């Protein structure tokens, strides 16, 4: 298994020379963040990332993410341009040695939380989602503020997107995803890249917007849309574990059998009865995810793909990008490495 760490480029307060000091950390997961969604990534920017990472003794083989333009999700006629750009970005990344691209198909909002600074009993802080709070919010109101959503939209743009999605059913979104996959997967196969869709986070509808990558039935439908092994998943234990009706261990076992798991996000959460949750330390006893069981399933299938410790708490006085501090993710990586090594015996 290949351990990796997400890094946000030159704007990230965590330097690569710190990340390389985490035991068994061999890869960096990043992207070109300066280009608007849907546009071409300059080859020189991709090469600069690659050289900087390799100069610090690690590999650049996973991109997270190449965002999907809303016109593709909406099925607009203008999607053709953005899909062609997406294909070219796949080719350019493959040329630089990238083998896996993580992406998502969530309308409007990416990962969503109601608190980025929830204070835990031990004094650390973490990300949380309170469904009672989110149900009371109106994303189109003038005072709307929600941690974790894409703040690149103005109020007018956000209103226009909500209007556009009013006529989009879940089946429409599935059709648009199928169209997108059938366009890009042949290119991915041609250049040796695996596409790994990330589950919706959280894995259920918010604000009335359709969300479709949510549970086992959704993944089985995804695999039928395009039966290529290159059409795979980023298996996120935290996202999929945020539904009480998801048996993440059976799901992981099945998708590994099908050869569809290309990337692992290992994150622990403490799940409540109503599917609200707090993100916790990676160690199993602090949350609802049995990390030993997760890694044992990976070991049983001789998983040789990529894994990264996902969101961490803020500990030891660290201030930084919420969920993406150094210390707790490094602790998480070490914890996961320890489990992985012990499973050899």
């Amino acid at each position: 298994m290949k351990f990796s760490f997400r890094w946000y480029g030159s704007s990230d307060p965590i330097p690569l020379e710190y990340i390389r000091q985490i035991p068994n950390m061999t890869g960096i997961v990043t992207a070109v963040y300066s280009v608007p969604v849907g546009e071409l990534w300059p080859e020189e920017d991709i090469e600069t990332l690659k050289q900087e990472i390799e100069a610090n003794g690690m590999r650049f083989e996973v991109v997270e993410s190449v965002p999907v333009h809303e016109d593709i999700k909406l099925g607009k006629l203008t999607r053709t341009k953005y899909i062609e750009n997406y294909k070219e970005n796949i080719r350019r990344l493959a040329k630089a040695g990238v083998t896996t691209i993580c992406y998502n198909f969530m309308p409007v909002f990416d990962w969503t939380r109601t608190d980025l600074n929830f204070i835990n009993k031990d004094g650390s802080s973490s990300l949380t989602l309170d469904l009672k709070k989110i149900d009371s919010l109106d994303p189109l109101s003038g005072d709307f503020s929600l941690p974790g959503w894409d703040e690149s939209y103005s109020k007018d743009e956000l209103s226009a997107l909500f209007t556009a999605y009013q006529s989009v059913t879940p089946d429409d979104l599935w059709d648009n995803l199928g169209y997108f996959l059938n366009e890009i997967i042949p290119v991915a196969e041609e250049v040796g890249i695996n596409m790994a869709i990330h589950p919706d986070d959280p894995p259920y509808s918010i604000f009335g917007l359709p969300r479709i990558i949510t549970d086992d039935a959704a993944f089985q439908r995804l695999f039928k849309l395009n039966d290529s092994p290159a059409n795979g998943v980023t298996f996120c234990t935290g996202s999929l574990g945020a539904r009480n009706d998801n048996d993440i261990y059976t799901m992981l076992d099945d998708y590994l059998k099908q050869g569809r798991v290309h990337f692992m996000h290992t994150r622990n959460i403490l799940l409540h009865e109503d599917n609200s949750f707090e993100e916790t330390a990676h160690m199993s006893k602090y949350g609802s995810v049995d990390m030993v069981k997760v890694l044992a399933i990976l070991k049983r299938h001789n998983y040789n793909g990529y894994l990264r410790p996902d969101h961490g708490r803020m500990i030891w006085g660290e201030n930084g990008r919420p969920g993406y501090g150094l210390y707790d993710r490094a602790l998480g990586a070490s914890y996961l490495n320890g489990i992985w090594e012990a499973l050899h015996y």
Side-chain angles (χ1 to χ4, degrees):
M1 186 160 63
K2 305 177 185 74
F3 278 80
S4 59
F5 206 83
R6 192 164 190 187
W7 180 65
Y8 283 90
S10 58
S11 67
D12 197 315
I14 303 170
L16 288 171
E17 53 263 36
Y18 286 8
I19 298 172
R20 71 183 297 185
Q21 294 171 15
I22 302 169
N24 201 31
M25 191 55 62
T26 60
I28 289 295
V29 178
T30 190
V32 174
Y33 296 105
S34 58
V35 176
V37 174
E39 300 304 321
L40 290 173
W41 288 12
E43 289 186 86
E44 56 270 26
D45 289 5
I46 298 170
E47 186 60 29
T48 296
L49 275 178
K50 176 183 173 70
Q51 290 178 5
E52 190 171 3
I53 291 165
E54 290 182 347
N56 280 276
M58 293 173 288
R59 296 190 294 270
F60 176 42
E61 297 177 347
V62 182
V63 163
E64 184 180 344
S65 62
V66 181
V68 179
H69 197 277
E70 295 295 334
D71 286 10
I72 297 174
K73 300 172 196 174
L74 287 164
K76 290 187 174 182
L77 293 177
T78 47
R79 67 182 171 181
T80 300
K81 167 194 170 183
Y82 297 115
I83 290 175
E84 290 306 312
N85 284 351
Y86 207 102
K87 292 177 185 177
E88 180 59 23
N89 283 334
I90 291 174
R91 296 186 188 100
R92 292 182 181 188
L93 289 167
K95 184 178 176 182
V98 170
T99 66
T100 302
I101 294 175
C102 173
Y103 70 104
N104 71 69
F105 217 72
M106 290 181 265
V108 187
F109 299 97
D110 202 321
W111 64 269
T112 303
R113 302 291 185 271
T114 51
D115 192 347
L116 301 182
N117 191 38
F118 177 80
I119 304 302
N120 300 296
K121 290 180 180 179
D122 62 4
S124 65
S125 66
S126 60
L127 312 179
T128 66
L129 179 68
D130 183 339
L131 288 182
K132 293 184 179 66
K133 183 174 180 180
I134 204 170
D135 286 345
S136 69
L137 295 172
D138 178 5
L140 300 182
S141 71
D143 59 352
F144 176 69
S145 178
L146 185 66
W149 71 287
D150 186 357
E151 295 173 316
S152 64
Y153 299 124
S154 68
K155 290 294 180 185
D156 288 343
E157 290 169 333
L158 191 62
S159 178
L161 278 174
F162 265 75
T163 298
Y165 274 107
Q166 283 181 357
S167 61
V168 177
T169 67
D171 281 340
D172 292 333
L173 195 58
W174 275 111
D175 289 344
N176 296 338
L177 175 58
Y179 183 93
F180 173 67
L181 289 173
N182 289 329
E183 287 287 318
I184 67 163
I185 292 298
V187 176
E189 288 178 320
E190 180 184 339
V191 298
I193 276 188
N194 287 320
M195 298 300 301
I197 195 168
H198 191 286
D200 297 341
D201 185 8
Y204 34 77
S205 176
I206 57 172
F207 306 126
L209 295 167
R211 286 196 161 193
I212 58 175
I213 309 301
T214 56
D215 57 12
D216 181 58
F219 280 107
Q220 302 299 348
R221 184 170 180 175
L222 171 81
F223 300 150
K224 290 177 182 176
L225 286 179
N226 188 294
D227 62 6
S228 168
N231 173 31
V233 307
T234 296
F235 196 97
C236 180
T237 61
S239 295
L240 292 171
R243 283 179 62 136
N244 284 294
D245 58 348
N246 274 345
D247 180 348
I248 64 171
Y249 313 107
T250 299
M251 293 165 69
L252 178 60
D253 185 66
D254 182 30
Y255 308 159
L256 286 164
K257 286 177 184 174
Q258 296 187 54
R260 300 292 187 128
V261 180
H262 302 316
F263 191 22
M264 288 293 303
H265 284 186
T266 42
R267 160 162 52 94
N268 206 349
I269 61 166
L270 182 61
L271 183 63
H272 300 293
E273 189 174 347
D274 69 344
N275 288 328
S276 297
F277 60 86
E278 295 114 43
E279 298 189 359
T280 69
H282 286 78
M283 193 174 183
S284 299
K285 77 173 187 178
Y286 291 105
S288 303
V289 177
D290 186 335
M291 287 296 181
V292 175
K293 191 171 184 178
V294 168
L295 267 67
I297 294 169
L298 294 173
K299 183 64 179 176
R300 188 164 66 245
H301 288 275
N302 296 311
Y303 179 69
N304 195 37
Y306 303 93
L307 176 147
R308 72 169 177 85
D310 205 2
H311 301 169
R313 303 165 298 149
M314 285 297 176
I315 63 174
W316 302 337
E318 183 177 23
N319 291 305
R321 184 183 292 268
Y324 288 97
L326 172 63
Y327 303 145
D328 199 41
R329 284 191 296 156
L331 287 177
S334 296
Y335 170 66
L336 296 167
N337 266 302
I339 297 172
W340 191 246
E341 184 172 22
L343 288 170
H344 282 71
Y345 293 94

